[in-house]
Amino acid sequence: MTAYRGSAKVDRILVVDDTPDNLFLTQAILEEEGYHIETFENGTDALAEIEADPPDLILLDVMMPGIDGFEVTRRIRQNEKLPFIPILLITAHDQPSVAQGLDTGADDFIRKPVNFDELLARVRSLLKLKHSVDERDLIARQREDFVSRLTHDLRTPMVAADRMLALISQGAFGELPEGMNEAISIMIRSNKNLLEMVNMLLEVYRYEAGRKTLSMIPVALCDLLAEVLEGLSPIAIDSGLALESNLDEFMDKQIVVMGDRLELHRVFTNLIGNAVKFTESGSVKVHLSAKPDRAVIAIKDTGTGIPPEQLDMLFQPFWSGKHKRSGSGLGLPLAQQIVTAHLGSIQIESEVGKGSTFTIELPIEQPAT
Ligand code: ADP
């Protein structure tokens, strides 16, 4: 139930105590301050109401027959469907273990006999905490909705523009005047880059919001890496780079991980693609190996390297360094989200001027015994 005074929402406080006199007194004092109070004489009824209609604050007697205040606190904190609700424990004068209540997830405690000025001060401070947590959550939700709606809405006109430009360049609307082909190709390329960036942004936020569903299947890493290397080899050849691997060793004894093949393809394309992109001369080597329970994929380049102070920023969205080939800065954050969702890890070792090694570890699918 939401109570209002004028247009302002009134804070709703649940008071749980098995002594009716205590309940009556606390209710009278808090109502005097303008709060909306609901009272309960046992933990079970209080929990049912908290789950049905979460209040803004709970005042909870510790010693109660049936489930005590500690247990009520534990059940509230374990219930992931509930928003954050501050809990103020009311403990007996000689109750030794308030620490237990705080460890279970209560936010503060007050001893009986309750000093009412102290009670009101604690109520005000916990409600302040509640309001700031609610506000932070609201801003996070609005930001997430905004980004996912914006990126989603941007995709539609860009896909349409891509189709139109393809038709124009194919001469569907008549022959193009001189110089126009070049201009259309530039527009197609820019539009594709923009679409790619919007798609990646959408994916990053899907992972962040926990809205990404993975289709997990057994994935043979050697085949997957061979496919990625084949796709990138024309770019490596153009740049005069040697693109090497030890994949031949694994053709007969595949290393298999459980994963979403498309997503893992995206990770390796990004990391090996970066290695090629940020290497002026020399080589990019992909080395696959297996620990007892993990597959290890090391991607080693002889490129520009990354200064130590920049290593922490690599996985932040939109951080892209000053290299002339730097792009949107979304590839590595997305790669990390994907690898983490596969319960794996990415490590980086790098030396400026000498090159970098990105090492990915993924849990190996153990054969059924
Ligand atoms: P993008 O490549 O689009 O800029 P990424 O998130 O993939 O975005 O990479 C972020 C930045 O990290 C790059 O712009 C580059 O500065 C740096 N980086 C990534 N991989 C390498 C690498 N192998 N060698 C040197 N710098 C790299």
Side-chain angles (χ1 to χ4, degrees), residues 186-249:
I186 293 173
M187 282 164 77
I188 291 178
R189 221 171 30 242
S190 307
N191 195 59
K192 279 205 159 70
N193 286 343
L194 197 56
L195 190 57
E196 168 73 11
M197 191 172 149
V198 167
N199 282 340
M200 282 172 87
L201 191 58
L202 195 56
E203 287 294 293
V204 168
Y205 280 98
R206 269 195 192 132
Y207 273 99
E208 256 181 29
R211 286 199 209 130
K212 178 77 190 177
T213 29
L214 298 174
S215 313
M216 303 297 260
I217 53 163
V219 178
L221 280 179
C222 184
D223 293 350
L224 178 66
L225 287 165
E227 221 175 277
V228 172
L229 288 175
E230 198 186 320
L232 289 169
S233 89
I235 307 174
I237 292 170
D238 271 359
S239 316
L241 293 175
L243 191 52
E244 298 165 4
S245 81
N246 70 334
L247 295 182
D248 287 350
E249 297 167 25

Side-chain angles (χ1 to χ4, degrees), residues 35 57 84 86 88 107-108 118-132:
Y35 299 117
L57 171 66
F84 167 69
L88 175 62
D107 299 279
D108 203 353
E118 201 182 320
L119 175 73
L120 288 174
R122 285 178 199 269
V123 164
R124 279 195 296 273
S125 118
L126 287 176
L127 284 171
K128 213 189 269 175
L129 176 68
K130 164 76 176 159
H131 295 155
S132 65

Side-chain angles (χ1 to χ4, degrees), residues 2 17 38 41 68 114 230 259 329 345:
T2 311
D17 197 316
E38 286 168 35
E41 288 185 18
D68 66 11
V114 172
E230 198 186 320
S345 62

Side-chain angles (χ1 to χ4, degrees), residues 270 274 277-278 301 304 306 314 319-320 326-329 331-333:
N270 179 262
N274 272 352
K277 198 162 70 165
F278 298 113
D301 66 53
T304 50
I306 303 157
L314 289 183
W319 188 88
S320 62
S326 288
S328 62
L332 287 177

